[in-house]
Amino acid sequence: MSETETAQAEQHSPNAATISAESSNLSAEEIERLTDDIVGALKTVYDPEIPVDIYELGLIYKVDLDDNRNITIDMTLTAPGCPVAGEMPVWVENAVASVEGVQDVKVNMVFDPPWDQSRMSEEAMVALNWW
């Protein structure tokens, strides 16, 4: 991924999620469109106990896009014992799979590093009134 593409991905990542494309076959415009659409899809998934989407909560750690438009996502939960731990990865997979051009989505649940409130965006903090 070029420095420009990395910078574009980082500007879409208020919670420091890494969105990267290892592919040199996709145009910068296509990577930008997919990045915008994937972030938009992630923002439709909410933790049912917290009225903020999982992207702004900082639950998405990494999103990789390969040459074939397959997506691999590393995500976490606010707590390992989250009641929707088995369901949320499926919600994420379905949301991202709905993005035009995406071929396959794999969601990996990770707990290292553990999630904490510092991963939340300012938008999430405002929504939760955590100032």
Side-chain angles (χ1 to χ4, degrees):
M1 182 176 220
S2 73
E3 287 181 35
T4 302
E5 291 165 347
T6 300
Q8 288 172 343
E10 287 173 357
Q11 71 179 310
H12 293 285
S13 306
N15 59 9
T18 304
I19 300 176
S20 64
E22 299 171 3
S23 172
S24 59
N25 293 332
L26 298 175
S27 69
E29 293 82 17
E30 180 67 359
I31 292 169
E32 182 175 0
R33 183 195 67 80
L34 284 167
T35 297
D36 289 345
D37 291 351
I38 289 167
V39 169
L42 291 169
K43 287 181 165 218
T44 68
V45 180
Y46 283 76
D47 182 318
E49 297 178 331
I50 304 171
V52 176
D53 69 77
I54 62 167
Y55 185 80
E56 296 299 335
L57 276 175
L59 299 182
I60 303 300
Y61 284 178
K62 183 170 86 170
V63 178
D64 286 328
L65 166 66
D66 73 12
D67 284 344
N68 297 315
R69 293 179 174 82
N70 297 314
I71 308 295
T72 303
I73 299 170
D74 288 352
M75 69 168 291
T76 196
L77 302 168
T78 55
C82 177
V84 293
E87 299 167 44
M88 194 174 295
V90 176
W91 300 342
V92 171
E93 181 180 326
N94 290 339
V96 174
S98 72
V99 171
E100 183 180 338
V102 167
Q103 297 303 310
D104 187 48
V105 180
K106 179 181 178 190
V107 177
N108 301 313
M109 189 64 64
V110 298
F111 294 100
D112 186 30
W115 179 87
D116 65 45
Q117 295 175 3
S118 69
R119 295 212 29 101
M120 293 175 21
S121 70
E122 286 185 22
E123 180 179 318
M125 288 186 229
V126 168
L128 294 172
N129 201 24
W130 288 7
W131 287 103

